[in-house]
Amino acid sequence: MKKFFLLFATVSLLLSGSSFAGLKTHQAADLVLGQPDFETGGANLSQTGMINPLDVAFDPTTGKVFVADGVNDRILRFASYLALYNGAPAEAVLGQDDFDTNKATDLAQKRMDLPARLYIDADGRLWATDLFNNRVLRFENASFRSSGSPADGVLGQPDFTSKGTGTTETTMDSPIGITGSLDGTIWVADRDNHRILRFDKAALKVNGAPADGVLGQPDFTSNGSGFDANQMNQPFSLFFDDKGNLWVGEYGNKRVLRFDDAENIVVDGAAADGVLGAPDFTAPGAGGTSASTMSQGTDLAVDSQGTLFVSDFDTRRVLGFLDPENKADGANADLVLGQPDFVTNDANLTAKGMFQPTGLGVDPLGRLYVTDQGYHRVLRFSPDGTPAILIKGKKTTHSSSLTLRGNAFSDLLVTKVQVKGKRGGFKNANGTTSWTYRLRGLDFGTTKVTVKATSLDGRISQKTIRIRRK
């Protein structure tokens, strides 16, 4: 079996029963993929099994669920997130011809060698970092591709038969994290070059096209590491949230960086605006098991209520930060999953435990998914009654108006859905469980819009999105 060593070579006042953003500390998962139940943790190459799954992503156009099944060198596609059940079989596979073989050593357009992270854009394109092949693969219409389909494009290499490393605007060295934004920009965490590469209008680029910008380095030929606000050390994970913040998780520096208004960063090597896991930019994070430190943060996700989640691999937990963009540097986490508190790091093969949490994903209903690499499974954690907001349809327009459509769900009745655009306060949408709202007076560029849902017992959730007028 391939070893995964390249990736993973203060008691808080928070009580374990306290509830935050619909999730609570040490709550149990309510669904598992890759295993038939929560007490089984074996490795398997099959239609229902996995070996060291590393990430999970959701197609916003179809609801299909994709899992990067790392050591099986493949990506599994499952039915809609609304139709999953414990141990459900995948419906298709990319990177391999079928569910029972692994041909990772074949360097080809339809092969992979450790797919590490996934991102699916607003048009249903799947982007995957192919770690040991030093490249990023693009699959058009991923929800409709048959098993074994070849990739449609590649970045980091000039073609599908090359895998060399380099420190230029066209090459990469062990790319891992990947994310994107509404305008079609793709960011890639180029791990061993200690940098983030930015590709504008990435879907239109030819194979091997150069990056358009870089963070963590002053130019495309430097690859030194450091811990200043404009430096990085092994960036592993990326997430671009609905408020326009780019979050970067650094494995080497044991911290998470925040870049505000990232779409409009035009200076290579720009400084980060905030940090978690370290008190400031004068030193890397100290690591360890506490509410303010991270040991080996490996992935990031922001849920529908704005909570930032960090998978902390070595301490066998996932940390949650409420309202993270307004927290002081080095602030404490507000909740923890996988452990009963912030000082415990035991491995437990249960619905509440984890062994090696790695990738994170949030489905359209705001439920958090965690790839538990060591137990070869994917866990799902669902909010406990707080409304979940689903926004459907396009978020771009050529006119000054756009009709938003969506759903709002809760264990209790959702009594009201409201929307706030650029002007004025919240106004009632039409409907609740299924709702619409007509936005008017949109300016050119990006407008932040907030949707708020209220349940019968007064629980409130909010989701902020960005509408783009071209």
Side-chain angles (χ1 to χ4, degrees):
M1 180 186 296
K2 180 184 303 177
K3 293 183 179 180
F4 197 37
F5 67 91
L6 285 183
L7 273 180
F8 304 108
T10 331
V11 178
S12 171
L13 292 178
L14 175 64
L15 300 177
S16 62
S18 299
S19 178
F20 291 89
L23 293 179
K24 60 184 179 181
T25 285
H26 205 218
Q27 79 172 65
D30 62 351
L31 180 130
V32 61
L33 297 175
Q35 304 294 346
D37 52 54
F38 294 107
E39 288 74 42
T40 305
N44 201 333
L45 175 62
S46 68
Q47 191 172 358
T48 57
M50 303 173 186
I51 302 179
N52 299 129
L54 301 179
D55 201 18
V56 59
F58 306 89
D59 187 338
T61 67
T62 64
K64 299 287 185 179
V65 182
F66 292 76
V67 175
D69 189 12
V71 175
N72 280 331
D73 301 298
R74 64 185 185 175
I75 297 172
L76 299 174
R77 189 182 75 221
F78 293 84
S80 167
Y81 62 92
L82 296 173
L84 296 177
Y85 54 89
N86 288 352
E91 63 180 21
V93 59
L94 298 173
Q96 304 296 331
D97 297 325
D98 53 52
F99 294 108
D100 304 310
T101 58
N102 184 339
K103 299 178 180 179
T105 55
D106 297 342
L107 179 60
Q109 191 170 354
K110 63 177 183 177
R111 295 285 180 257
M112 302 172 190
D113 196 355
L114 205 79
R117 295 289 185 270
L118 309 176
Y119 169 72
I120 305 176
D121 66 24
D123 295 315
R125 295 184 192 87
L126 170 64
W127 302 83
T129 54
D130 189 8
L131 184 77
F132 291 147
N133 285 327
N134 302 297
R135 65 185 184 179
V136 173
L137 298 176
R138 187 189 82 242
F139 295 86
E140 300 285 341
N141 301 309
S143 285
F144 305 99
R145 304 295 287 271
S146 59
S147 291
S149 293
D152 297 288
V154 62
L155 296 173
Q157 302 294 337
D159 50 51
F160 292 103
T161 57
S162 303
K163 60 181 294 184
T165 64
T167 308
T168 69
E169 59 192 351
T170 61
T171 56
M172 303 175 185
D173 191 351
S174 302
I176 177 168
I178 189 165
T179 192
S181 56
L182 193 63
D183 63 352
T185 300
I186 294 293
W187 282 270
V188 179
D190 190 11
R191 187 190 69 183
D192 289 349
N193 279 325
H194 311 293
R195 65 184 185 177
I196 306 300
L197 297 175
R198 191 192 79 237
F199 295 87
D200 300 335
K201 301 186 186 306
L204 303 179
K205 290 188 179 297
V206 298
N207 290 345
D212 298 284
V214 62
L215 296 173
Q217 302 294 338
D219 51 52
F220 290 108
T221 58
S222 302
N223 66 353
S225 63
F227 48 76
D228 287 343
N230 60 355
Q231 295 178 306
M232 298 179 187
N233 186 355
Q234 291 190 312
F236 256 54
S237 51
L238 297 172
F239 195 90
F240 190 91
D241 69 22
D242 289 332
K243 297 180 180 179
N245 304 312
L246 176 66
W247 300 88
V248 180
E250 291 181 84
Y251 185 85
N253 278 331
K254 304 180 187 300
R255 66 183 187 179
V256 173
L257 303 178
R258 188 190 78 246
F259 293 86
D260 296 337
D261 195 21
E263 277 184 344
N264 294 313
I265 295 176
V266 296
V267 178
D268 289 343
D273 297 286
V275 61
L276 296 170
D280 50 45
F281 293 107
T282 62
T289 309
S290 74
S292 62
T293 57
M294 305 165 192
S295 182
Q296 293 177 329
T298 55
D299 203 15
L300 307 170
V302 179
D303 72 5
S304 58
Q305 303 196 38
T307 302
L308 171 69
F309 291 96
V310 182
S311 57
D312 199 6
F313 176 87
D314 197 43
T315 57
R316 303 178 177 93
R317 64 184 185 172
V318 175
L319 299 173
F321 295 84
L322 298 176
D323 193 23
E325 67 272 23
N326 292 314
K327 283 190 179 298
D329 290 347
N332 286 351
D334 298 290
L335 67 96
V336 60
L337 299 172
Q339 303 295 336
D341 51 52
F342 291 109
V343 297
T344 306
N345 64 357
D346 297 331
N348 288 289
L349 183 55
T350 64
K352 288 187 174 184
M354 302 175 187
F355 185 17
Q356 294 171 328
T358 309
L360 302 175
V362 178
D363 74 15
L365 294 181
R367 299 177 294 190
L368 179 69
Y369 293 68
V370 180
T371 59
D372 188 6
Q373 180 195 158
Y375 288 141
H376 312 288
R377 63 183 185 175
V378 178
L379 301 173
R380 187 186 72 191
F381 297 86
S382 298
D384 56 351
T386 302
I389 299 170
L390 174 61
I391 301 174
K392 300 185 294 186
K394 293 184 177 181
K395 299 179 182 65
T396 59
T397 180
H398 289 281
S399 72
S400 62
S401 61
L402 176 72
T403 298
L404 285 183
R405 304 177 186 277
N407 302 104
F409 304 91
S410 174
D411 293 340
L412 297 172
L413 179 69
V414 173
T415 59
K416 183 166 53 178
V417 174
Q418 298 172 293
V419 180
K420 182 173 69 173
K422 185 175 182 179
R423 300 177 179 85
F426 283 99
K427 297 181 181 179
N428 291 337
N430 295 315
T432 53
T433 303
S434 178
W435 58 267
T436 63
Y437 185 83
R438 186 70 171 174
L439 290 167
R440 304 180 188 277
L442 295 171
D443 296 328
F444 286 102
T446 300
T447 299
K448 291 184 179 180
V449 176
T450 301
V451 179
K452 179 168 68 173
T454 305
S455 67
L456 184 63
D457 64 345
R459 296 176 187 244
I460 295 175
S461 64
Q462 293 187 178
K463 185 172 186 178
T464 299
I465 62 170
R466 294 177 308 126
I467 303 298
R468 188 174 184 85
R469 181 181 176 187
K470 298 181 179 179

